[in-house]
Amino acid sequence: MIDQALHDAMIAACAAVRITPPRREPAPGRWVQVDTYERNGKGDGRILIFDDERGGICWNHQTQQSRRFSARRHGEPVQSHGLRRDPEKERRRQDEQREVERICADIVRTCRHEPHPYLARKGFPDERGLVHDDPRACFPATSFGEVLAKALPEADGPLLIVPGRIDRRITTVQFIATDGTKKNILRGAMGGASHRIATGRLSVVCEGIATAMSVRAALRFLSLSATVLSAFSASNVAKVAAGIPEAWIAADNDKPIEALGNLGTGEFYAAESGRKWTMPPELGDFNDMHMAHGLRALALHLQEVLRDTS
């Protein structure tokens, strides 16, 4: 039985990455499957208590957020000796990653460039995105392909595909259903990956693709050129922005989480990044602000931010 301090740290870490705690106490050394807070998130979370019972790790496969925890300090990383390196597992993981990259490239290559219902709902009916009827056609006819297929979001209609690149390699793709359900491909490498939708003098990193499109539209309204990137998750936004000189973050205004000091996920990671950042004054993202108050309101908000940070 794990001690109370470790149990409390696990609960806090689960909240930080937005997964539900396990119903039963996890057995050390075994991954436990749990749900995430997101829609269509059944079984997309994982929790592991290390064999030495001094710490563990929580993982959200939908957002690719992870957090280590220990009995000593809630939510803080533990020493790496808690994870036992297995060279054979490492080799298989690398082979798997190369296979996923090949699959991602095939999916993007076989997409059509056309409007998508999700983008129309977000205020961009004429935007041409990467659209795919059935990405399963790109999966191998193996047990691994079956695992990838099971992790796809349930969808009525074609999927919008958002590729994530690290340098020039497509290391992940995000699938977006017509109803807005989002999932990144299982086993893809999302850390540091992003999708660029515009190039210019400024650099702005956003979370979702619709947010990025609204920010791009608002900056164009102000006659400002900017490189605008979608980085998929709040934690990855901070990671991508950290690698771009003078980049600033257009964060989501998420619901406060007690484990994050009563900050929302977007605000927490933006503040932690050390980069300049802003978020909407109301709960939601900048696409929500665009839809609720109009492009001019969003443009004026960003103009004020740019004036204050110049």
Side-chain angles (χ1 to χ4, degrees):
M1 180 176 180
I2 64 174
D3 66 31
Q4 188 62 43
L6 183 60
H7 177 270
D8 292 345
M10 177 185 70
I11 297 300
C14 286
V17 300
R18 297 177 60 80
I19 64 175
T20 60
R23 295 181 180 179
R24 298 179 181 177
E25 184 177 291
R30 292 185 179 182
W31 285 99
V32 175
Q33 188 178 58
V34 296
D35 299 336
T36 74
Y37 291 0
E38 277 67 43
R39 288 183 296 176
N40 205 27
K42 185 175 178 61
D44 279 343
R46 300 288 188 277
I47 300 170
L48 174 70
I49 299 293
F50 298 146
D51 289 332
D52 60 10
E53 299 186 38
R54 296 173 60 189
I57 187 168
C58 296
W59 185 269
N60 184 325
H61 283 294
Q62 281 187 299
T63 65
Q64 298 292 302
Q65 290 175 288
S66 65
R67 179 157 290 227
R68 294 189 185 184
F69 56 90
S70 73
R72 291 165 291 182
R73 295 179 62 187
H74 289 197
E76 291 294 316
V78 297
Q79 296 299 315
S80 60
H81 67 262
L83 290 171
R84 297 179 179 179
R85 297 184 65 85
D86 184 326
E88 180 59 23
K89 283 186 178 180
E90 286 291 327
R91 184 192 64 78
R92 288 199 302 269
R93 191 176 299 115
Q94 291 171 4
D95 290 345
E96 209 172 67
Q97 181 58 50
R98 283 191 289 268
E99 177 72 354
V100 170
E101 289 185 18
R102 183 194 64 76
I103 292 167
C104 289
D106 282 349
I107 291 172
V108 172
R109 180 179 55 81
T110 53
C111 281
R112 304 185 305 278
H113 291 261
E114 63 184 38
H116 188 270
Y118 173 75
L119 297 179
R121 286 177 43 239
K122 294 295 183 176
F124 300 97
D126 299 323
E127 185 79 26
R128 294 166 65 86
L130 295 172
V131 178
H132 208 296
D133 288 322
D134 188 5
R136 289 174 296 184
C138 300
F139 295 165
T142 62
S143 58
F144 181 52
E146 292 176 2
V147 170
L148 294 179
K150 289 179 180 177
L152 284 172
E154 297 178 5
D156 293 324
L159 293 167
L160 179 67
I161 306 298
V162 184
R165 288 178 170 85
I166 298 176
D167 296 325
R168 295 186 178 183
R169 292 165 29 239
I170 303 175
T171 61
T172 185
V173 292
Q174 185 177 67
F175 307 109
I176 306 180
T178 56
D179 67 355
T181 300
K182 299 177 184 177
K183 280 193 176 182
N184 277 63
I185 190 169
L186 191 67
R187 313 286 172 82
M190 196 173 76
S194 63
H195 178 57
R196 185 181 65 201
I197 65 167
T199 303
R201 185 174 60 85
L202 302 172
S203 293
V204 187
V205 187
C206 311
E207 187 169 334
I209 187 66
T211 298
M213 288 180 178
S214 289
V215 168
R216 179 187 63 183
L219 292 173
R220 286 177 175 174
F221 183 89
L222 297 170
S223 299
L224 295 173
S225 68
T227 295
V228 183
L229 301 143
S230 167
F232 308 109
S233 74
S235 61
N236 197 46
V237 164
K239 185 170 186 176
V240 170
I244 304 173
E246 303 301 319
W248 58 277
I249 293 171
D252 293 358
N253 188 342
D254 298 311
K255 183 178 179 180
I257 296 174
E258 184 178 355
L260 300 181
N262 288 317
L263 300 178
T265 308
E267 182 179 5
F268 175 82
Y269 283 106
E272 192 178 62
S273 73
R275 292 300 192 191
K276 298 172 183 176
W277 62 276
T278 183
M279 68 180 184
E282 302 171 354
L283 283 177
D285 57 38
F286 281 117
N287 179 259
D288 296 324
M289 184 179 179
H290 176 190
M291 293 294 93
H293 303 289
L295 186 61
R296 180 180 174 80
L298 173 55
L300 291 175
H301 174 91
L302 297 181
Q303 184 178 56
E304 192 67 26
V305 170
L306 291 169
R307 184 182 296 120
D308 291 343
T309 58
S310 60

